[in-house]
């Protein structure tokens, strides 16, 4: 399995960002081949983190591209700073 993690700082409206992600982005993730799970976390203090899990690297890479496009088209005003993006093979899980 592979995962992609994106950390956003300076989120201006976490409640609205969560609503838009849940209604618009989650359905996009479910369409990616090899989808396993997606989580959107409110870490407080204007920080939100997303985690996407896929069966293979291609799915994780696709999620990064889709996230970039979705933020640009739908969340730019709420997520004013580019995210820190990390991706890699899942080497332990529970």
């Amino acid at each position: 399995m592979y995962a992609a993690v994106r950390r956003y700082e300076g989120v201006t409206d976490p409640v609205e960002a969560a609503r838009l992600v849940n209604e618009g982005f989650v359905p996009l993730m479910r369409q990616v081949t090899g989808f396993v799970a997606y989580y959107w976390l409110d870490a407080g203090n204007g920080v939100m983190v997303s985690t996407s899990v896929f069966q293979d690297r291609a799915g994780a890479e696709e999620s990064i591209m889709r996230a970039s496009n979705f933020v640009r088209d739908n969340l730019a005003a709420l997520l004013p700073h580019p995210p820190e993006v990390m991706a890699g093979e899942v080497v332990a899980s529970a």
Side-chain angles (χ1 to χ4, degrees):
M1 284 191 302
Y2 284 78
V5 178
R6 294 171 291 279
R7 184 179 192 274
Y8 299 88
E9 293 186 0
V11 179
T12 60
D13 187 343
V15 172
E16 180 64 4
R19 183 186 72 76
L20 292 169
V21 166
N22 195 47
E23 292 176 2
F25 188 65
V26 170
L28 292 176
M29 287 294 91
R30 288 186 177 136
Q31 295 172 359
V32 176
T33 302
F35 172 81
V36 174
Y38 177 80
Y39 304 98
W40 177 256
L41 305 135
D42 185 346
N45 297 318
V47 175
M48 299 191 92
V49 179
S50 71
T51 303
S52 307
V53 182
F54 296 89
Q55 290 294 330
D56 56 28
R57 173 182 233 139
E61 291 174 355
E62 175 75 13
S63 79
I64 292 168
M65 189 264 312
R66 287 187 184 209
S68 177
N69 292 341
F70 188 83
V71 168
R72 180 194 67 224
D73 296 343
N74 301 281
L75 292 170
L78 302 174
L79 307 176
H81 306 292
E84 177 182 1
V85 180
M86 297 154 276
E89 185 175 2
V90 175
V91 295
S93 65

